[in-house]
Amino acid sequence: MTRTLVVVGHGMVGHRLVEALRAEDTGHAWRVVVLAEEPRAAYDRVALTSYVDGWDAGALALPGADYAGDELVELRLGDPVVEIDREARNVVTAAGFTQHYDALVLATGSRPFVPPVPGHDLPGCFVYRTIEDLDAIRETVERVKSAKRGRAAAMVVGGGLLGLEAAKALRDMGLSPHVVEMAPRLMPLQVDEGGGSLLRRLVTELDLTVHTGTSATVIEEDRGRLCAKLTNGTELDLDLIVFSAGVRPRDELAREAGLEVGERGGILVDSSCRTSDSGVYAIGECAAVEGRCYGLVAPGYTMAEVVAAQLLGREAAFPGADLSTKLKLMGVDVASFGDAHAATEGALEVVLADAVSGYYKKLVVSAEEPRTLLGGVLVGDASAYTMLRPLVGSPLPADPAAMLAPEGAGAVGVEALPDEAQICSCNNVTKGAVTGAILSQGCDSVAAIKGCTRAGTTCGSCVPMLSKLLDACGVEQSRAVCEHFAFSRRELFEIVKATRITSFAELIAKHGTGSGCALCKPAVASILATLDTTMGEGGHVLNDEQAALQDTNDHFLANMQRNGTYSVVPRVPGGEITPAKLRVIAEVADEFGLYTKITGAQRIDLFGATVDQLPLIWKRLVDAGLESGHAYGKALRTVKSCVGSTWCRYGVQDSVGMAVELELRYRGLRSPHKLKAGVSGCARECAEARSKDFGVIATEKGWNLYVGGNGGTFPRHAELLVSDVDSESLVRYIDRFLMFYVRTADRLQRTAPWLEELEGGLDHLREVIVDDKLGICEELDAAMAKHVENYADEWRGVLEDPEKLARFTSFVNAPGTPDPTISFRVEREQKVPVLLGVPEVVSR
Amino acid sequence: MTVLDEQTRIVAVCAVGALIPGRGVAALLPDGRQVAIFRTVDDEFYALSNIDPFSRAAVLSRGITGDSDGIPFVASPMLKQRFDLRTGVCLDDESVVIRTYPVEVADGVVHLRP
Ligand code: SRM
Ligand SMILES: Cc1cc2nc3c(=O)[nH]c(=O)nc-3n(C[C@H](O)[C@H](O)[C@H](O)COP(=O)(O)OP(=O)(O)OC[C@H]3O[C@@H](n4cnc5c(N)ncnc54)[C@H](O)[C@@H]3O)c2cc1C
Ligand code: SF4
Ligand code: FES
């Protein structure tokens, strides 16, 4: 007979319980009723901060959390349970709905703790736990921003993991956050003193103001703003306050129903997650398992599985939990695992700290030989985490100091891990389970392992490890460009360079199969273009066979738009342009009736040109001294600049001059993906240089060079490669950086993912291009010199060559006739495309 | 003119030399239809409607050609869907088929049968 399970609370853990039970309850022993307080189905609370990125609640949805199509699950949202009648085995909701149960699971989570400071409930004070909390914060931020000029300020009460996340979210919304932490350091639970002080320095550089060892004594309203007074005498003028000072388990329902609670709160349960009433379980953050509450999702998931097993008649017990954490806060790595505070008797600490490079690493090991790894703290560089965490409890395979050294982690292979080592702590998956999936279930990719074992599906921090295990099991993870070449772009580059093959036809005949496709042709065209000019032969991207390989944008040296017309973007180096050139652009736009727009990268885009018009337009532009801006190519786009020391009262170097120099130097360089750069005249960073592939920021003494930044889909801040260098060294390092990237990156891999994947990361890059560890700098320098020497404007090249020019017609049999399907209408005084076109689809 | 006339007529389009191997050109038929003509690296000639059914823009002639498992195709320059040059079937969504046209090369001139 089907019995009724009632689950109170639909958070991540409640959802996992339902999922685990429904996956295994093939005999339909249970019907499940979930009663939830929040107005939406369970979502990924761990990723809550990412909500700020796009304000898209859908992106946080957990797959399957609406149980669509499952008739045995009923989900009632937005109606909290207010009473449990244990005798009658009923629960009652706020709306008065009564539900009988045969078994009851409480998964009510916790609530943010708000310290009882006077004024804590004034308007403008928030907590940080639900989507609704963030929506409310956003509303206030927007109101404050629209009402005032200058930067709005916020205070986050609590400098723990969640407090720093909240501060990051506020910074991303454009506020200046103050973080106030009562303990003497940030993240007191996870990191030690050394790690805490480095963390403080790193986040301060990122625009947070940190106040430790103090707390707020009172919050007052002050002419429409808030004023917070701290115990150390500081007074902060604020627009908004977020409390993130820990959580308290939501055990109120259980208390009222007479269930036992833990000494420090939480619904008391035994190791099988049963409360003092054997028909009632508690799981997740609300549960105090043998008196102890867990504020992480992984232990909650384990509890959910323990209860699901028992409901299906199996015995199960909660084995305790791994409280390791790894996170990246505003680009700063922090990890803490095992016995991070060396609480074990006799434990020894090995510390490696480098304040200049900005890392702090500590291992805690046993006193006796062989040394057992007990725990550790990593700040600034947590790359060793994936390797170290699974080793906790096992003897160290190498000297502790060697394991912490920048390459040490790489030197100790995954082979060193025992089978029982936990690879994915979120989902409790061991190395043995992963290798089993690879070897006996035929998983041959990270995606397949995710599907088979769940490893890597929650926080994602174990994914690099999964990929290493695939390697260790001898599984080739294909990097091949496409079905025609069994090589990666990097390998193709090496082949072309070594064999000096100069045509696609020869390359595919000797090293590939078939006739090629839209993936390999443009990739090879880019390689040939780079090598052509750097070998000194001075080619043109539309010469001979190369023309046939180019993507349509490169084929017509313009960007195709949605109606088949093209856009025209002349180069405006550094964003600096004379009124005379502006006038020419305006005249051309007028004459050819082009829609005109300022782009996001400091130049002007003219839209709506037909193929036949392109050479006529470019003739005018080239005659006026303008040249191709390569907006169509996988090549350098722009070097964005700010006005710098010439005009700006804060500027310390001539950022425009440098941007122009760099743009002229690298224009036309063909690369695996587009390249963007920026130069700012001081640390205020008005040119947003750190969101670029390479960014330069002026200092009193010279320039700081940052590399590997990205806007776009996966934004990433560029990282500091060298600081305070003079102009000549700056250019030299950028030369090498670009050439090294061009040679070794994959097809359509921008510098950010390239750098992330580069073995040894930023340190390795620095060794290669600053210390010349591989001995290739001379070659890279020479290649760039050749590029600079051989640069020629592509559009001029077309205008001077009748054969190339002849291809710019809409119809081969009617040159001069424009495509009749193209038409325009007027919007805001300019023309925009009318999407007509006759669909010629024949359906089968 | 009658439909029958249309079908039997042959239209001379351009010299073979106007086509780069691996690339296409567009031709305008007297009735306003647009045809994309391709020449492969093996010197085979194909003709399809020039209109990309996904974007409805007349751009297929400007796509990159290639082969997948031996099937010759052109990839639309707009959103990259591939079409079988022989049959017009979209390799990425087989429910979509575009019109094909017979092509012949005679005396160095490319001819179409509209
Ligand atoms: C015109 C412009 C928008 C505007 O009106 O402002 C634009 C337009 C296009 N962008 Fe962009 N992007 C433009 C600035 C940007 C910026 C801002 C910047 O450069 O400072 C970014 C974010 C910065 C970055 O790239 O890191 C940007 C991130 C992208 C991306 C995402 C790249 C990524 O790494 O995730 C794409 C897609 C891609 O390249 O694969 C893209 C692709 C495109 C394409 C080429 C899409 C397409 O295939 O049609 C658009 C056509 C350009 C054209 O002229 O027809 N665009 N695009 C901007 C031209 C700037 C210029 O003068 O060259
Ligand atoms: C910003 C943020 C970042 C985090 N980052 C991490 C991280 O990196 N790693 C990690 O492991 N953990 C992280 N956590 C913690 C993690 O989210 C929680 O451990 C986890 O969500 C707990 O799940 P739960 O289901 O027990 O509780 P919750 O997710 O809180 O769900 C409980 C649900 O029960 C509902 N409820 C309460 N009372 C009732 C009632 N009477 N009737 C009906 N419904 C009720 C609540 O409204 C809530 O929806 C983070 C938390 C936050 C807020
Ligand atoms: S970055 Fe500095 S120099 Fe440049 S405009 Fe901003 S404040 Fe001025
Ligand atoms: S450790 Fe979080 S998903 Fe694997």
Side-chain angles (χ1 to χ4, degrees), chain A residues 162-187:
Chain A
L162 287 188
L164 289 176
E165 272 211 29
K168 169 183 159 36
L170 292 169
R171 195 199 63 160
D172 290 350
M173 286 186 235
L175 276 68
S176 300
H178 293 264
V179 176
V180 178
E181 167 59 50
M182 203 147 47
R185 61 174 183 273
L186 293 174
M187 292 186 70

Side-chain angles (χ1 to χ4, degrees), chain A residues 667-701:
Chain A
R667 62 187 164 177
L669 179 71
R670 285 300 198 276
S671 56
H673 207 316
K674 59 192 176 192
L675 285 167
K676 300 183 176 187
V679 183
S680 279
C682 81
R684 286 167 193 75
E685 245 286 66
C686 304
E688 301 172 305
R690 289 195 65 200
S691 67
K692 305 296 183 198
D693 295 280
F694 61 98
V696 178
I697 302 180
T699 66
E700 298 280 349
K701 296 186 206 128

Side-chain angles (χ1 to χ4, degrees), chain A residues 182-234:
Chain A
M182 203 147 47
R185 61 174 183 273
L186 293 174
M187 292 186 70
L189 294 182
Q190 290 87 7
V191 308
D192 59 358
E193 222 182 289
S197 65
L198 176 66
L199 178 62
R200 178 191 182 122
R201 206 192 85 209
L202 295 176
V203 300
T204 304
E205 281 173 14
L206 296 169
D207 216 12
L208 297 197
T209 313
V210 178
H211 311 261
T212 49
T214 184
S215 57
T217 51
V218 63
I219 299 165
E220 286 163 354
E221 214 171 340
D222 179 19
R223 281 159 295 163
R225 298 186 80 194
L226 295 167
C227 172
K229 297 193 169 118
L230 308 187
T231 53
N232 66 5
T234 308

Side-chain angles (χ1 to χ4, degrees), chain A residues 483-484 513-518 521-522 544-552 555-556 560-566 611 807 810-814 817-822 835-844, chain B residues 11-14 18 20-23 25-29 32-34 37 41 49-51 53 55-59 62-70 73 75 77-78 80 82 89 94-99 101:
Chain A
E483 66 177 87
H484 303 102
T513 56
S515 64
C517 67
K521 284 180 173 179
D544 313 322
E545 181 216 35
Q546 274 208 44
L549 306 176
Q550 306 289 355
D551 263 327
T552 194
H555 194 69
F556 291 103
M560 178 180 278
Q561 306 298 316
R562 56 187 309 163
N563 62 345
T565 61
Y566 287 86
V611 174
R807 292 182 206 139
S810 293
F811 300 108
V812 70
N813 61 344
T817 310
D819 175 355
T821 67
I822 296 172
L835 304 179
L836 278 176
V838 199
E840 279 205 28
V841 182
V842 182
S843 241
R844 289 198 177 178
Chain B
V11 179
V13 178
C14 62
I20 320 177
R23 222 62 225 198
V25 294
L28 188 60
L29 297 181
R33 275 179 295 163
Q34 298 188 26
I37 307 162
V41 282
S49 161
N50 192 33
I51 294 183
S55 64
R56 302 191 173 187
V59 294
R62 297 176 233 160
I64 291 188
T65 63
D67 73 303
S68 175
D69 282 336
F73 68 78
M78 198 61 80
K80 305 280 185 280
R82 297 162 304 161
V89 175
E94 292 197 0
S95 68
V96 176
V97 185
I98 57 171
R99 175 159 185 181
Y101 297 84

Side-chain angles (χ1 to χ4, degrees), chain A residues 350-375:
Chain A
V350 182
V351 177
L352 193 73
D354 180 341
V356 178
S357 305
Y359 64 76
Y360 173 92
K361 306 174 183 183
K362 178 178 86 173
L363 289 191
V364 178
V365 300
S366 66
E368 325 76 47
E369 298 275 2
R371 304 262 183 238
T372 303
L373 181 64
L374 299 174

Side-chain angles (χ1 to χ4, degrees), chain A residues 107 182 271 448 492 551 649 664 674-675 683 726 752 759:
Chain A
M182 203 147 47
S271 65
L492 282 178
D551 263 327
R649 64 211 152 100
L664 296 183
K674 59 192 176 192
L675 285 167
D726 59 23
E759 194 105 23

Side-chain angles (χ1 to χ4, degrees), chain A residues 561-761:
Chain A
Q561 306 298 316
R562 56 187 309 163
N563 62 345
T565 61
Y566 287 86
S567 74
V568 168
V569 188
R571 186 168 295 292
V572 179
E576 189 183 66
I577 187 162
T578 61
K581 283 189 177 151
L582 274 177
R583 209 171 290 127
V584 174
I585 294 178
E587 280 166 16
V588 168
D590 242 352
E591 206 171 297
F592 293 88
L594 304 173
Y595 168 92
T596 308
K597 180 180 181 298
I598 307 289
T599 72
Q602 299 188 334
R603 17 194 220 179
I604 300 169
D605 204 343
L606 309 173
F607 293 82
T610 57
V611 174
D612 344 43
Q613 288 176 327
L614 287 172
L616 305 173
I617 292 170
W618 274 105
K619 172 91 178 57
R620 293 285 309 277
L621 296 173
V622 168
D623 285 348
L626 291 153
E627 62 174 8
S628 168
H630 295 102
Y632 46 81
K634 302 298 175 221
L636 179 79
R637 295 287 163 89
T638 67
V639 182
K640 189 169 172 174
S641 79
C642 75
V643 284
S645 59
T646 320
W647 291 95
C648 176
R649 64 211 152 100
Y650 295 112
V652 292
Q653 306 282 353
D654 174 12
S655 49
V656 184
M658 180 52 78
V660 172
E661 181 184 338
L662 295 175
E663 184 155 342
L664 296 183
R665 188 169 178 81
Y666 305 121
R667 62 187 164 177
L669 179 71
R670 285 300 198 276
S671 56
H673 207 316
K674 59 192 176 192
L675 285 167
K676 300 183 176 187
V679 183
S680 279
C682 81
R684 286 167 193 75
E685 245 286 66
C686 304
E688 301 172 305
R690 289 195 65 200
S691 67
K692 305 296 183 198
D693 295 280
F694 61 98
V696 178
I697 302 180
T699 66
E700 298 280 349
K701 296 186 206 128
W703 307 98
N704 282 355
L705 171 60
Y706 297 82
V707 294
N710 208 158
T713 323
F714 299 103
R716 182 179 191 272
H717 256 126
E719 292 177 82
L720 183 63
L721 185 74
V722 289
S723 40
D724 289 332
V725 294
D726 59 23
S727 302
E728 195 188 320
S729 319
L730 174 75
V731 171
R732 188 166 60 239
Y733 294 138
I734 301 175
D735 281 0
R736 294 175 182 171
F737 166 70
L738 290 179
M739 269 300 162
F740 188 48
Y741 161 68
V742 165
R743 292 183 171 207
T744 57
D746 268 333
R747 192 183 76 87
L748 295 188
Q749 185 179 41
R750 287 191 69 178
T751 57
W754 169 74
L755 187 55
E756 242 157 46
E757 266 186 28
L758 190 69
E759 194 105 23

